[in-house]
Amino acid sequence: MPDAFIIDACRTPRGVGKPGKGALAHLHPQHLGRTVLEALVERNGFDSAEVDDIVWGTSSQVSEQSGDLGRMAALDAGYDTKASGVTLDRFCGSGITATSFAANAVMAGMEDLVISGGTEMMSLPKKGLLPMGANNVHLQELHPQPHQGVCADAIATLDNIPRDALDAHAAESQARADRAIKEGRFDKSLIPVMNLDGTVALDHEEFPRPQTTAESLAALQPSFAAAADYRHGDSPTYRELVAQKFPDLEIEHVHHAGNSSGVVDGAAAILMASEGYAKANGLEPRARIVATANMGDDPTLMLNAPVPAAKKVLSRAGMTIDDIDLFEVNEAFAVVSEKFQRLLDLDRDKVNVNGGAMALGHPIGATGAILIGTLLDELERRDQQVGLITMCAGGGMAPAIIIERV
């Protein structure tokens, strides 16, 4: 099987995802995609007419984010019209999935130069965006799917993971992100976002709160108790949906704004090539895709698939946990990454070493591509070899991918 090599990875800084408040909120989502796609050409000098495909992740494909954002961002970036594009949705896992699909096309020998990535502007109004299950009553009877925050609280309750452990985890994420920013660990991949008039829209991470401590987090009120009891018309509440599968569960609400992922805007892109194309065109590979995998799990708890996804991708690669130097596990909620580390008995100094989404934010469709680039940069900085990236996704899924430096 041919190898798929990562040539480069870049991303925008993440802006606060609130309408009219974040530094990127006034821009079109295609503009964020354009920013990273332009940067790949500028940094690597390839001919965009030779790009076989651009595989893009965007979860909320409504309003300005509809209409095949990957293709439109490439056109906005001045790519040759021969460079086609497709946009997919695996909820939070879209960025990893886009990268896996693009890599698999190269590994199948069908394509030679591909780009993956994603964009999500969470500051956009979500008009037309339906809840999980899209109001399908029959589906909800088969697989009740609550709000993700309620799922996080339910998992923490079922697994006896206390709030103080989750708050300590969130505080550590902030501290690690602060250190990474101060030491310039993100600088290699960070691309400033410019306004159309040439002024800077954002050139740094806007979301982190480095002053955060476990004590300050302990003072925050849980965020999802009210959501659990919200009722729209005759629909069941989220608490009632959980009770359909777990009738005796008394949910303890332990997640809040500080130990949940930040709401942000952002985009990321990854350039990949076959070995033959890279050699013929003077592109220097940084890493290769070792294996990819997808895994489904219980849609009602929704967030538990990263561990089985990690085990599956390790099996595909013929590796064990001990072969992995660094892990990136998206901090959608503190319980996701906390449980991942507990179940796999991981060395915590190998997981999310530069902080995660609780500190830096989670631009849904872009996050997977961001994590892949972040992990690659850190492998290079530490002169280590192998990394595993995974994340939970809506519907009870998780994609996973293993990369190895070359």
Side-chain angles (χ1 to χ4, degrees), residues 91-370:
F91 304 107
C92 298
S94 299
I96 293 179
T97 297
T99 303
S100 296
F101 282 9
N104 290 342
V106 175
M107 295 164 78
M110 294 294 103
E111 294 177 349
D112 286 303
L113 184 65
V114 295
I115 295 172
S116 67
T119 303
E120 203 81 40
M121 289 195 69
M122 299 181 75
S123 58
L124 288 174
K126 299 301 189 291
K127 294 179 180 178
L129 188 64
L130 295 174
M132 209 68 66
N135 294 332
N136 181 343
V137 175
H138 179 254
L139 174 59
Q140 288 288 45
E141 290 173 350
L142 291 173
H143 296 291
Q145 298 179 64
H147 184 282
Q148 294 94 321
V150 178
C151 295
D153 287 342
I155 292 169
T157 305
L158 287 165
D159 286 65
N160 296 311
I161 299 177
R163 173 166 167 170
D164 59 355
L166 301 177
D167 285 350
H169 185 29
E172 179 64 18
S173 181
Q174 291 282 355
R176 291 183 179 192
D178 185 48
R179 179 184 62 203
I181 291 168
K182 288 177 177 175
E183 294 181 359
R185 297 187 185 185
F186 299 142
D187 292 355
K188 184 173 184 177
S189 297
L190 202 66
I191 307 299
V193 180
M194 311 300 290
N195 293 309
L196 289 174
D197 64 5
T199 59
V200 175
L202 186 64
D203 61 1
H204 63 279
E205 296 290 354
E206 191 177 32
F207 187 79
R209 299 177 294 278
Q211 72 280 5
T212 300
T213 64
E215 291 73 24
S216 66
L217 293 172
L220 298 178
Q221 292 297 311
S223 296
F224 303 109
D229 293 317
Y230 173 75
R231 187 186 305 278
H232 179 70
D234 296 328
S235 298
T237 67
Y238 291 128
R239 195 181 304 278
E240 289 168 345
L241 289 173
V242 174
Q244 289 179 35
K245 294 287 288 288
F246 302 92
D248 299 324
L249 180 63
E250 293 290 335
I251 300 173
E252 181 179 355
H253 294 286
V254 292
H255 287 88
H256 48 75
N259 61 21
S260 304
S261 55
V263 177
V264 295
D265 300 330
I270 298 172
L271 178 66
M272 287 178 283
S274 65
E275 182 177 15
Y277 186 92
K279 286 182 176 178
N281 291 275
L283 298 175
E284 190 69 29
R286 295 173 61 191
R288 72 181 183 95
I289 306 298
V290 177
T292 70
N294 299 290
M295 180 63 77
D297 202 87
D298 179 12
T300 300
L301 293 178
M302 200 175 300
L303 312 177
N304 276 335
V307 167
K311 291 179 177 179
K312 184 176 182 179
V313 78
L314 285 167
S315 177
R316 286 260 175 90
M319 292 180 169
T320 70
I321 286 290
D322 293 336
D323 294 315
I324 306 299
D325 295 308
L326 293 175
F327 297 83
E328 285 288 336
V329 184
N330 187 43
E331 297 172 352
F333 301 92
V335 74
V336 177
S337 44
E338 178 69 21
K339 181 175 180 178
F340 187 90
Q341 294 175 86
R342 291 185 180 204
L343 286 183
L344 295 178
D345 193 24
L346 298 181
D347 178 348
R348 289 176 181 263
D349 289 334
K350 292 184 176 183
V351 184
N352 298 353
V353 296
N354 291 326
M358 291 186 289
L360 295 158
H362 175 25
I364 308 296
T367 301
I370 291 174

